[in-house]
Amino acid sequence: MYRRLNMSSVNATIDHCDVPYKFTYQALSGIMIAEFVLGLPLNLSVLYVFIFRFKFWKNKSIFLFNIVVADFLLVACLPAKAYHYLHGERRSTDDLACKTMLFMLFLNRGASIAFLITLSIDRYFNVVHLGRRNFVKVLKKTPQISIFIWVLLLPLTIPTMLNTFECCNSHGREVETYYHDVTDTLREVVFFTQIIIPFVILVYCTVRIVNRLNKKTVGEKTKLRRAVWVVLSVLVVFSICFLPCTVARAVLLAVRLKKWQAAEDVAVQVYDSLMVLSYIDCLLDPVVYCFCNSGFKNAYVATFCPVSVQKRLITSESGQVSPTTTKTFSSPILEKKPEAEC
């Protein structure tokens, strides 16, 4: 009898991934489907331009191309995630599928953050420490560095693969053992540090670039304004896609450890909703590409926009330059100032 009661109390502390309110998750599944419908053609078009029209390997835009690859990892996960939400489950009942999904999402998030921050640091050195050797500019010319970043991100996903996580989110809900506690804590540390540390770096770079802009003369402000728009666009992506769900995650862990079940039901819905919101980074990243590299923007506009729009957008930026000036759609202005590119 005692054993039966004990097992009942243990089961009560384990989240079996049933959603608190099905209507909320059905709505979230609709949002993810919309993100998939919009994100798939957008990222396919961006990938086409990068490979066939802009030729990223010639224009030193390998880091931007890697962000496109990371976005595809995210877009590929959205249909399966939407399917489970639609059927009232926070994740797949199959442990392997659950871990695979979380692995893909962690890898996408880590890659997006790593390459976005790298671009911001590159722009920071180009503006604030102009004339000094920019190690980021040297590294981005080498494709092997991008491979190294991807390989370096893989160990960060190990905590998700060490143990079967209930709902892929077991911290504070498993039977307490040293192994579970260390594994779950390590995963939470990875989750928070990969957001907080890059955000601090991004804010620092933004403040320094803006201060540099305020101190420059009028003749030098055009390039600096472009640098400011680059780091601000990355800051917007962070503020919308990554920071809200990070704060919600901290609140969820707090109420879970306090065992406030009613508050946890609300916190779970808020956290999952903000995670769904974070998936729009696959829609916002192309804006970063346009601010970061005018050559890519010209190539994209020349490929997919009507001729009247091409003339209005490209001619207004580069004067008398047409979108077909060069084979790789990089304008002469950009070729004269390669430091303005990411």
Side-chain angles (χ1 to χ4, degrees):
M1 182 67 178
Y2 171 78
R3 183 177 181 182
R4 182 178 300 176
L5 291 175
N6 187 45
M7 289 298 295
S8 176
S9 64
V10 170
N11 290 334
T13 64
I14 298 178
D15 188 348
H16 290 287
C17 304
D18 293 331
V19 299
Y21 300 99
K22 287 189 177 181
F23 175 78
T24 301
Y25 286 82
Q26 289 172 349
L28 292 178
S29 69
I31 294 175
M32 281 189 286
I33 291 173
E35 291 172 340
F36 176 77
V37 170
L38 295 174
L40 183 62
L42 175 61
N43 283 277
L44 282 174
S45 64
V46 169
L47 184 63
Y48 172 81
V49 171
F50 262 114
I51 296 177
F52 297 104
R53 307 305 296 268
F54 185 60
K55 298 182 179 179
F56 66 92
W57 61 91
K58 293 183 178 180
N59 288 277
K60 303 173 184 176
S61 299
I62 296 177
F63 285 170
L64 289 179
F65 179 75
N66 280 274
I67 300 176
V68 180
V69 175
D71 288 340
F72 266 106
L73 292 179
L74 172 60
V75 172
C77 295
L78 293 181
K81 193 77 173 176
Y83 173 84
H84 296 305
Y85 275 19
L86 186 62
H87 289 79
E89 298 175 342
R90 294 183 62 212
R91 57 94 163 171
S92 172
T93 55
D94 181 82
D95 291 332
L96 178 60
C98 174
K99 292 180 180 180
T100 301
M101 180 71 67
L102 195 59
F103 170 80
M104 295 286 285
L105 293 176
F106 262 65
L107 192 62
N108 157 261
R109 181 179 297 266
S112 295
I113 292 172
F115 289 108
L116 286 173
I117 291 300
T118 302
L119 295 177
S120 299
I121 293 175
D122 177 47
R123 192 52 57 96
Y124 163 78
F125 275 101
N126 283 337
V127 171
V128 178
H129 299 290
L130 185 63
R132 297 184 183 180
R133 184 174 179 84
N134 185 347
F135 72 96
V136 179
K137 180 176 292 187
V138 175
L139 294 179
K140 72 181 182 180
K141 297 178 182 179
T142 307
Q144 290 81 355
I145 297 301
S146 297
I147 298 175
F148 174 77
I149 292 177
W150 282 100
V151 173
L152 191 62
L153 290 171
L154 293 178
L156 299 181
T157 65
I158 290 178
T160 68
M161 315 300 290
L162 291 178
N163 186 35
T164 299
F165 297 111
E166 292 293 333
C167 280
C168 296
N169 185 18
S170 65
H171 196 77
R173 300 304 298 271
E174 284 278 4
V175 180
E176 293 297 333
T177 67
Y178 178 79
Y179 175 76
H180 290 152
D181 184 62
V182 171
T183 302
D184 294 338
T185 301
L186 178 60
R187 187 165 61 98
E188 300 303 333
V189 169
V190 171
F191 181 88
F192 286 105
T193 55
Q194 72 172 357
I195 303 294
I196 296 175
I197 293 178
F199 182 72
V200 172
I201 295 174
L202 179 60
V203 171
Y204 175 80
C205 293
T206 303
V207 172
R208 291 296 303 274
I209 292 175
V210 171
N211 288 338
R212 190 74 170 182
L213 173 63
N214 294 331
K215 295 179 181 179
K216 283 289 184 178
T217 61
V218 177
E220 299 173 306
K221 285 192 174 182
T222 301
K223 174 186 173 182
L224 290 177
R225 286 196 183 98
R226 180 179 295 178
V228 170
W229 279 111
V230 171
V231 293
L232 285 180
S233 64
V234 177
L235 187 61
V236 168
V237 172
F238 259 78
S239 300
I240 295 177
C241 299
F242 303 131
L243 284 183
C245 61
T246 304
V247 175
R249 177 79 170 191
V251 174
L252 173 58
L253 291 176
V255 298
R256 172 166 291 172
L257 292 172
K258 292 287 186 180
K259 302 186 184 302
W260 296 339
Q261 188 58 49
E264 182 180 338
D265 289 341
V266 176
V268 164
Q269 294 180 82
V270 173
Y271 170 70
D272 287 339
S273 299
L274 291 177
M275 283 297 294
V276 171
L277 176 65
S278 73
Y279 300 153
I280 67 171
D281 69 323
C282 64
L283 303 178
L284 296 179
D285 284 342
V287 178
V288 178
Y289 310 152
C290 292
F291 282 128
C292 200
N293 197 309
S294 298
F296 166 78
K297 182 181 70 174
N298 294 348
Y300 193 92
V301 170
T303 304
F304 294 105
C305 294
V307 176
S308 58
V309 177
Q310 296 178 29
K311 293 180 180 180
R312 189 179 304 115
L313 293 178
I314 300 180
T315 304
S316 63
E317 177 181 298
S318 54
Q320 302 177 353
V321 179
S322 68
T324 56
T325 302
T326 65
K327 187 175 181 180
T328 60
F329 293 87
S330 296
S331 67
I333 293 178
L334 298 174
E335 291 178 358
K336 293 179 182 178
K337 299 180 179 180
E339 71 276 5
E341 302 299 343
C342 286

